[in-house]
Amino acid sequence: MTLPFRFAKTLITSTLMAATLATASLAHAATTLRLGWTTADSEVDPYAIAARYFKEELETAAPGQFDVKFFPSNQLGNDTDMLQGMQFGTLDAGVITGTQLGTLDRSFQLLDLPFLFKDREQAHQALNGELGKELFSRLDKQGIVGLGFGEAGFRHTINNTREIKAPGDLNGIKLRVQPSDLFIASFRALGANPVPMAWSDAFTAVQQGTVDGLEIPLAVIYANKYAGAVKYLSLTNHTYNALPLLISKQVFSRLSEEQQAAVRTAAEKAIERQRAEVAKNEQQLIEKIKAEGMAVNEVANTQAFREAVRPVYEEYRPRIGADLVDRAMKLAAE
């Protein structure tokens, strides 16, 4: 065999080996995570912010190993559809409003108790600690892994009838609420006429006057253009809106230990960034909402609201779990 022929053969072999290694590397990098959420793909939407930061942090934690694809605006169905998809392994991941997890385990209704947390710092302390871990542990048997609790901030009341400054102002107002018996009970206790409705139907319902308004976080109001469709925003701060970042247990279990660790690290860092971004945006969002013509009022005395919903706590304490409620209330009292 001549030297040039041996050299050419060696070059071809090396090229083939390099191509094989590159193909293997690409195959390894092709772990696709389809991540869905229900709201808009907007720079100020808290769901979208959580999704984008997770993708960024995952690329940092495991460069080239994941391809996170986004499916906002109900593209993969509503929250219930996406939870079922994660249970069956047909959807990889999602940013889901915490209320909907109550359909899988009633303990998650803890997060929807009205006026439970006085501020986001209290909520963070509870959800970052043993209380949050306890809640996520209950998802395991449902086929879902909880990666952390992002946030949409506190929920407020918007409507086309009047400003809400005291519980009596809600009398007779027809409000779209999340499909949750606790939300229905809470707003009935406040005198409203709550209408459970899927998020995908809410905007059309308020436009057509089927409902007078809804209860919703600031970022979601602005990102989904409610400021142009509803007259009044009352800063009731009635419920802290947790946004769990979730992944299918089937999908998670197929990852290597190193990849699982990278996913958890990415989620933790993404949530820390997302919470800070949502908080930073809020005052700017209020000004933008005002600029689009919505009247905004604060609520000076929330104690009257707390008194009105006290029976809801008594009703739901055994359903959620007395121990969980007591622990949360102890944290909130500190």
Side-chain angles (χ1 to χ4, degrees), residues 152 154 156 216-223 233 235 282 285-286 289:
F154 280 85
H156 307 285
I216 186 173
L218 289 172
V220 183
I221 293 171
Y222 182 76
L233 162 60
L235 302 175
E282 285 204 344
L285 286 169
I286 290 174
I289 288 168

Side-chain angles (χ1 to χ4, degrees), residues 50-280:
R52 292 187 179 282
Y53 284 171
F54 176 63
K55 180 174 183 174
E56 291 175 13
E57 293 294 344
L58 191 53
E59 180 60 26
T60 299
Q65 295 186 40
F66 292 93
D67 180 15
V68 181
K69 296 186 180 299
F70 297 149
F71 295 87
S73 302
N74 293 290
Q75 289 182 38
L76 301 178
N78 59 30
D79 284 322
T80 300
D81 298 326
M82 288 190 287
L83 285 173
Q84 290 176 346
M86 282 184 274
Q87 287 180 301
F88 297 145
T90 57
L91 172 63
D92 303 315
V95 183
I96 306 293
T97 186
T99 297
Q100 293 305 310
L101 294 184
T103 64
L104 300 182
D105 190 295
R106 293 195 73 111
S107 61
F108 277 90
Q109 289 190 309
L110 173 75
L111 305 181
D112 292 332
L113 285 171
F115 305 99
L116 174 62
F117 298 117
K118 69 178 180 182
D119 54 37
R120 56 183 8 113
E121 286 73 25
Q122 275 194 345
H124 295 170
Q125 181 183 1
L127 297 177
N128 291 347
E130 293 304 316
L131 195 66
K133 292 175 183 177
E134 169 67 20
L135 289 172
F136 274 154
S137 72
R138 302 185 182 203
L139 281 184
D140 188 70
K141 62 178 180 294
Q142 300 288 347
I144 295 174
V145 175
L147 298 175
F149 291 94
E151 70 169 39
F154 280 85
R155 300 180 77 88
H156 307 285
T157 306
I158 64 174
N159 80 99
N160 280 316
T161 305
R162 67 180 75 94
E163 293 181 340
I164 308 301
K165 295 183 177 180
D169 296 328
L170 281 163
N171 285 342
I173 291 181
K174 188 180 289 186
L175 283 182
R176 177 267 174 184
V177 298
Q178 299 183 77
S180 157
D181 54 333
L182 193 153
F183 268 84
I184 294 169
S186 297
F187 279 92
R188 280 183 180 158
L190 292 168
N193 179 10
V195 179
M197 184 182 297
W199 170 250
S200 54
D201 299 326
F203 193 86
T204 300
V206 79
Q207 274 188 319
Q208 295 178 348
T210 306
V211 296
D212 300 314
L214 54 157
E215 47 81 42
I216 186 173
L218 289 172
V220 183
I221 293 171
Y222 182 76
N224 293 273
K225 304 186 185 306
Y226 277 93
V230 183
K231 294 179 182 177
Y232 303 105
L233 162 60
S234 300
L235 302 175
T236 47
N237 289 286
H238 53 268
T239 306
Y240 174 79
N241 196 168
L243 298 183
L245 174 59
L246 310 172
I247 188 168
S248 165
K249 186 177 179 180
Q250 291 187 41
V251 171
F252 193 70
S253 64
R254 290 197 294 266
L255 303 177
S256 68
E257 289 186 7
E258 291 78 9
Q259 288 177 319
Q260 289 181 3
V263 166
R264 290 193 181 277
T265 296
E268 181 179 351
K269 292 183 177 180
I271 285 168
E272 183 178 355
R273 291 175 61 197
Q274 188 263 2
R275 288 172 172 175
E277 184 71 11
V278 169
K280 184 187 77 173

Side-chain angles (χ1 to χ4, degrees), residues 4-19:
F5 182 80
R6 284 200 305 271
F7 176 76
K9 184 177 179 181
T10 301
L11 181 62
I12 291 169
T13 301
S14 299
T15 302
L16 288 173
M17 288 178 65

